Amino acid sequence: MQFSSAAKHSDNLGDNPSDNPRDYSSDYRLTPVVLQLINARAQRKRIGMGILVVLLLMFAYVGLTRGSLPIDIEQQLRYFISGAITVKNTVENTGANTTHWYVLSEIRLPRVIMTMLIGALLAVSGCAMQGLVRNPLADPGLIGIAGGAAAAAALSMTIVPPLIPALESIWVAMWAFGGALLSVWTVLRFSSGPQGVSVAALILAGVAINALTGTVIGAISYVASDDALRQISYWTMGSLAGASWTLCGLIALAGLVAFTGLMKSRNALNLLALGEKEAAYMGLNVTRYKHWVLWLVAFSVALATALCGIIGFVGLVVPHMCRAIFGVNHQVLIPASALMGALLLMVADTLARTLFVPMEIPIGIVTSAVGAPFFLYLLWQQRRIFGGGV
């Protein structure tokens, strides 16, 4: 009885601070300062997100108006609202206005939307991949997604052509999507063990798969015809020229699934940043979330690669930039990566279409020109880890 009464007395001490010997006055003095700091950081993040949205809208407008055929959007909207684009107009107005309106509504606008969706999808996938392996130098291509897609696409262009030539683009996309998922499945099979998926084994298996797919692509290119070889080379450099409203809807649906799934995994990614053992001690099912995040990343990048070819460095550069600006909390990092990825690819696509008009540069060349120096910069920052100097 004496023990229980003492325990009750000790429990009651925590209810009234005045009964405890500890001085709580300092805690209460620090609370407004801490809250002010938290609010200031949150405000800076909101301002940063707002700036990204404004820049994205600005470059989207530039992407709509600039190109081999300059378009005045305000004029086209006035013609459309006033009913000027009809068959009753004069031949001169009808020809000019319908051509510009068709380019704007059926070519430029789907391409701008598809560019933003693909950029957001690749950047979010890279953010999740870096959080999963706890390395800012990682990207989705680390596990062989792009290599598997390229090898399967090369096979479909040379050895297994479609039965209906008109469906060649769909046939290549289906093979690329299947090849990417097959590569990820193979990597997971070799990296899984009794303790779950090992990050070190995952990286090594990805390197082996990339080497194998590179060998397959080299062998196919050696025996391919000139036309097929040119097609393979163009596909591996990436292009957004095939954008359409149908593809925009497909990518928007896939992006919604991937973004929702990764946002639900944001707390798991934050815990994994502490280490796998620490995350497991805190109650996280590490194996389950590893597979969940890896398959979400694989599905997203496989779809983007199958539809647009290989677009490198977006998943590497964007998350690192966002991490430096917005911090490491994935609750903010994932949406920030989506916005910045859309912005980066929008800028790259606009440059690809406008630098050498009427010629269009493959989008993969532009992103690589930006990403390769940034990758070297990341390596320079990590030089202490690799031996103390470069």
Side-chain angles (χ1 to χ4, degrees), residues 179-215:
L181 294 184
L182 179 61
S183 295
V184 175
W185 178 82
T186 305
V187 168
L188 285 177
R189 289 287 295 176
F190 279 97
S191 60
S192 299
Q195 303 299 325
V197 178
S198 170
V199 173
L202 184 75
I203 295 174
L204 291 175
V207 170
I209 292 298
N210 282 324
L212 179 61
T213 55
T215 303

Short mmCIF file of all heavy atoms in Angstrom, two decimals, residues 179-215:
data_model
loop_
_atom_site.label_atom_id
_atom_site.label_comp_id
_atom_site.label_asym_id
_atom_site.label_seq_id
_atom_site.Cartn_x
_atom_site.Cartn_y
_atom_site.Cartn_z
N GLY A 179 10.26 -4.46 -70.66
CA GLY A 179 11.68 -4.65 -70.39
C GLY A 179 12.14 -3.94 -69.13
O GLY A 179 12.96 -4.47 -68.37
N ALA A 180 11.60 -2.75 -68.89
CA ALA A 180 11.96 -2.02 -67.67
C ALA A 180 11.50 -2.77 -66.42
O ALA A 180 12.25 -2.93 -65.45
CB ALA A 180 11.36 -0.62 -67.72
N LEU A 181 10.26 -3.23 -66.43
CA LEU A 181 9.75 -3.96 -65.27
C LEU A 181 10.48 -5.29 -65.08
O LEU A 181 10.72 -5.73 -63.94
CB LEU A 181 8.25 -4.21 -65.42
CG LEU A 181 7.36 -2.96 -65.39
CD1 LEU A 181 5.89 -3.35 -65.46
CD2 LEU A 181 7.63 -2.13 -64.14
N LEU A 182 10.84 -5.96 -66.18
CA LEU A 182 11.60 -7.21 -66.07
C LEU A 182 12.97 -6.96 -65.45
O LEU A 182 13.44 -7.77 -64.62
CB LEU A 182 11.75 -7.83 -67.46
CG LEU A 182 12.54 -9.15 -67.52
CD1 LEU A 182 11.85 -10.23 -66.68
CD2 LEU A 182 12.71 -9.61 -68.97
N SER A 183 13.61 -5.87 -65.80
CA SER A 183 14.91 -5.54 -65.20
C SER A 183 14.78 -5.31 -63.70
O SER A 183 15.61 -5.79 -62.91
CB SER A 183 15.50 -4.31 -65.88
OG SER A 183 15.78 -4.57 -67.23
N VAL A 184 13.75 -4.59 -63.30
CA VAL A 184 13.56 -4.33 -61.87
C VAL A 184 13.27 -5.62 -61.12
O VAL A 184 13.79 -5.86 -60.02
CB VAL A 184 12.41 -3.32 -61.67
CG1 VAL A 184 12.10 -3.13 -60.19
CG2 VAL A 184 12.78 -1.98 -62.29
N TRP A 185 12.45 -6.48 -61.71
CA TRP A 185 12.14 -7.76 -61.06
C TRP A 185 13.42 -8.59 -60.90
O TRP A 185 13.64 -9.22 -59.86
CB TRP A 185 11.12 -8.51 -61.89
CG TRP A 185 10.76 -9.86 -61.33
CD1 TRP A 185 9.86 -10.12 -60.34
CD2 TRP A 185 11.31 -11.13 -61.73
NE1 TRP A 185 9.81 -11.48 -60.08
CE2 TRP A 185 10.69 -12.11 -60.92
CE3 TRP A 185 12.25 -11.52 -62.67
CZ2 TRP A 185 10.99 -13.47 -61.05
CZ3 TRP A 185 12.55 -12.86 -62.80
CH2 TRP A 185 11.93 -13.82 -61.99
N THR A 186 14.27 -8.60 -61.92
CA THR A 186 15.52 -9.36 -61.84
C THR A 186 16.44 -8.80 -60.76
O THR A 186 17.05 -9.55 -59.98
CB THR A 186 16.24 -9.32 -63.21
OG1 THR A 186 15.36 -9.80 -64.22
CG2 THR A 186 17.48 -10.19 -63.18
N VAL A 187 16.53 -7.47 -60.70
CA VAL A 187 17.37 -6.84 -59.68
C VAL A 187 16.86 -7.18 -58.28
O VAL A 187 17.64 -7.50 -57.37
CB VAL A 187 17.42 -5.32 -59.90
CG1 VAL A 187 18.03 -4.62 -58.70
CG2 VAL A 187 18.21 -4.99 -61.16
N LEU A 188 15.56 -7.13 -58.09
CA LEU A 188 14.99 -7.44 -56.77
C LEU A 188 15.21 -8.90 -56.41
O LEU A 188 15.44 -9.24 -55.24
CB LEU A 188 13.50 -7.11 -56.76
CG LEU A 188 13.15 -5.62 -56.69
CD1 LEU A 188 11.64 -5.42 -56.76
CD2 LEU A 188 13.69 -5.02 -55.41
N ARG A 189 15.13 -9.80 -57.38
CA ARG A 189 15.35 -11.23 -57.11
C ARG A 189 16.78 -11.48 -56.63
O ARG A 189 17.01 -12.26 -55.72
CB ARG A 189 15.08 -12.05 -58.37
CG ARG A 189 13.63 -12.12 -58.75
CD ARG A 189 12.82 -13.02 -57.85
NE ARG A 189 13.25 -14.41 -57.93
CZ ARG A 189 12.76 -15.39 -57.18
NH1 ARG A 189 11.85 -15.12 -56.27
NH2 ARG A 189 13.19 -16.62 -57.33
N PHE A 190 17.75 -10.80 -57.24
CA PHE A 190 19.15 -11.02 -56.87
C PHE A 190 19.53 -10.27 -55.59
O PHE A 190 20.52 -10.64 -54.95
CB PHE A 190 20.06 -10.59 -58.01
CG PHE A 190 20.21 -11.62 -59.09
CD1 PHE A 190 19.44 -11.56 -60.24
CD2 PHE A 190 21.10 -12.67 -58.96
CE1 PHE A 190 19.56 -12.51 -61.24
CE2 PHE A 190 21.23 -13.63 -59.95
CZ PHE A 190 20.47 -13.55 -61.09
N SER A 191 18.80 -9.22 -55.25
CA SER A 191 19.17 -8.44 -54.07
C SER A 191 18.36 -8.79 -52.83
O SER A 191 18.64 -8.27 -51.75
CB SER A 191 18.99 -6.94 -54.36
OG SER A 191 17.64 -6.66 -54.70
N SER A 192 17.38 -9.67 -52.96
CA SER A 192 16.56 -10.06 -51.81
C SER A 192 17.21 -11.24 -51.09
O SER A 192 17.78 -12.14 -51.72
CB SER A 192 15.14 -10.44 -52.26
OG SER A 192 14.51 -9.35 -52.87
N GLY A 193 17.10 -11.20 -49.77
CA GLY A 193 17.65 -12.27 -48.94
C GLY A 193 16.77 -12.50 -47.74
O GLY A 193 15.65 -11.97 -47.64
N PRO A 194 17.22 -13.32 -46.78
CA PRO A 194 16.43 -13.58 -45.58
C PRO A 194 16.12 -12.31 -44.79
O PRO A 194 15.09 -12.23 -44.12
CB PRO A 194 17.32 -14.54 -44.77
CG PRO A 194 18.24 -15.16 -45.78
CD PRO A 194 18.46 -14.11 -46.81
N GLN A 195 16.99 -11.32 -44.85
CA GLN A 195 16.79 -10.08 -44.11
C GLN A 195 16.09 -9.00 -44.94
O GLN A 195 16.03 -7.85 -44.52
CB GLN A 195 18.14 -9.55 -43.62
CG GLN A 195 18.94 -10.52 -42.77
CD GLN A 195 18.19 -10.89 -41.50
OE1 GLN A 195 17.49 -10.07 -40.92
NE2 GLN A 195 18.35 -12.15 -41.07
N GLY A 196 15.60 -9.37 -46.11
CA GLY A 196 14.95 -8.40 -46.97
C GLY A 196 15.86 -7.94 -48.09
O GLY A 196 16.85 -8.61 -48.43
N VAL A 197 15.56 -6.79 -48.67
CA VAL A 197 16.33 -6.25 -49.78
C VAL A 197 17.54 -5.52 -49.24
O VAL A 197 17.42 -4.58 -48.44
CB VAL A 197 15.47 -5.30 -50.64
CG1 VAL A 197 16.30 -4.71 -51.76
CG2 VAL A 197 14.27 -6.03 -51.20
N SER A 198 18.72 -5.94 -49.68
CA SER A 198 19.96 -5.28 -49.28
C SER A 198 20.27 -4.15 -50.25
O SER A 198 20.25 -4.34 -51.47
CB SER A 198 21.11 -6.29 -49.26
OG SER A 198 22.35 -5.63 -49.11
N VAL A 199 20.53 -2.95 -49.73
CA VAL A 199 20.83 -1.80 -50.58
C VAL A 199 22.11 -2.04 -51.37
O VAL A 199 22.17 -1.74 -52.57
CB VAL A 199 20.94 -0.53 -49.72
CG1 VAL A 199 21.43 0.65 -50.57
CG2 VAL A 199 19.60 -0.19 -49.09
N ALA A 200 23.13 -2.59 -50.74
CA ALA A 200 24.39 -2.85 -51.44
C ALA A 200 24.18 -3.85 -52.58
O ALA A 200 24.67 -3.66 -53.70
CB ALA A 200 25.44 -3.36 -50.46
N ALA A 201 23.44 -4.94 -52.29
CA ALA A 201 23.17 -5.92 -53.34
C ALA A 201 22.28 -5.34 -54.42
O ALA A 201 22.43 -5.68 -55.61
CB ALA A 201 22.50 -7.15 -52.72
N LEU A 202 21.37 -4.44 -54.05
CA LEU A 202 20.51 -3.79 -55.03
C LEU A 202 21.33 -2.98 -56.03
O LEU A 202 21.12 -3.04 -57.24
CB LEU A 202 19.51 -2.89 -54.30
CG LEU A 202 18.46 -2.19 -55.16
CD1 LEU A 202 17.39 -3.17 -55.59
CD2 LEU A 202 17.82 -1.04 -54.38
N ILE A 203 22.30 -2.22 -55.52
CA ILE A 203 23.13 -1.40 -56.39
C ILE A 203 24.00 -2.27 -57.28
O ILE A 203 24.14 -2.03 -58.49
CB ILE A 203 23.99 -0.45 -55.54
CG1 ILE A 203 23.09 0.55 -54.79
CG2 ILE A 203 25.00 0.30 -56.40
CD1 ILE A 203 23.82 1.44 -53.82
N LEU A 204 24.60 -3.31 -56.71
CA LEU A 204 25.47 -4.20 -57.51
C LEU A 204 24.67 -4.93 -58.58
O LEU A 204 25.12 -5.07 -59.72
CB LEU A 204 26.17 -5.19 -56.58
CG LEU A 204 27.22 -4.60 -55.64
CD1 LEU A 204 27.76 -5.67 -54.70
CD2 LEU A 204 28.35 -3.95 -56.42
N ALA A 205 23.47 -5.40 -58.21
CA ALA A 205 22.63 -6.07 -59.21
C ALA A 205 22.21 -5.10 -60.30
O ALA A 205 22.15 -5.46 -61.49
CB ALA A 205 21.40 -6.67 -58.53
N GLY A 206 21.92 -3.84 -59.94
CA GLY A 206 21.59 -2.85 -60.94
C GLY A 206 22.74 -2.57 -61.89
O GLY A 206 22.54 -2.41 -63.11
N VAL A 207 23.96 -2.52 -61.36
CA VAL A 207 25.13 -2.31 -62.22
C VAL A 207 25.28 -3.48 -63.20
O VAL A 207 25.57 -3.29 -64.39
CB VAL A 207 26.39 -2.16 -61.35
CG1 VAL A 207 27.65 -2.18 -62.21
CG2 VAL A 207 26.34 -0.86 -60.55
N ALA A 208 25.08 -4.71 -62.70
CA ALA A 208 25.20 -5.88 -63.57
C ALA A 208 24.13 -5.88 -64.66
O ALA A 208 24.42 -6.17 -65.84
CB ALA A 208 25.10 -7.15 -62.72
N ILE A 209 22.89 -5.53 -64.30
CA ILE A 209 21.81 -5.49 -65.29
C ILE A 209 22.07 -4.41 -66.33
O ILE A 209 21.84 -4.60 -67.53
CB ILE A 209 20.46 -5.28 -64.59
CG1 ILE A 209 20.09 -6.53 -63.77
CG2 ILE A 209 19.37 -4.99 -65.60
CD1 ILE A 209 19.92 -7.79 -64.59
N ASN A 210 22.56 -3.24 -65.89
CA ASN A 210 22.88 -2.19 -66.85
C ASN A 210 23.98 -2.62 -67.81
O ASN A 210 23.93 -2.31 -69.01
CB ASN A 210 23.32 -0.93 -66.09
CG ASN A 210 22.15 -0.15 -65.51
OD1 ASN A 210 21.09 -0.08 -66.13
ND2 ASN A 210 22.33 0.42 -64.34
N ALA A 211 24.97 -3.34 -67.29
CA ALA A 211 26.03 -3.84 -68.17
C ALA A 211 25.48 -4.86 -69.17
O ALA A 211 25.85 -4.85 -70.36
CB ALA A 211 27.15 -4.46 -67.33
N LEU A 212 24.59 -5.74 -68.69
CA LEU A 212 24.00 -6.76 -69.56
C LEU A 212 23.14 -6.13 -70.65
O LEU A 212 23.24 -6.49 -71.82
CB LEU A 212 23.18 -7.74 -68.73
CG LEU A 212 22.48 -8.87 -69.49
CD1 LEU A 212 23.50 -9.74 -70.21
CD2 LEU A 212 21.62 -9.70 -68.54
N THR A 213 22.30 -5.18 -70.27
CA THR A 213 21.45 -4.53 -71.27
C THR A 213 22.27 -3.71 -72.25
O THR A 213 21.93 -3.61 -73.44
CB THR A 213 20.40 -3.64 -70.58
OG1 THR A 213 21.07 -2.71 -69.70
CG2 THR A 213 19.43 -4.47 -69.77
N GLY A 214 23.37 -3.11 -71.76
CA GLY A 214 24.26 -2.40 -72.68
C GLY A 214 24.87 -3.33 -73.72
O GLY A 214 25.02 -2.97 -74.89
N THR A 215 25.21 -4.55 -73.29
CA THR A 215 25.74 -5.54 -74.22
C THR A 215 24.70 -5.93 -75.26
O THR A 215 25.01 -6.06 -76.46
CB THR A 215 26.21 -6.78 -73.45
OG1 THR A 215 27.19 -6.40 -72.48
CG2 THR A 215 26.79 -7.82 -74.38
#
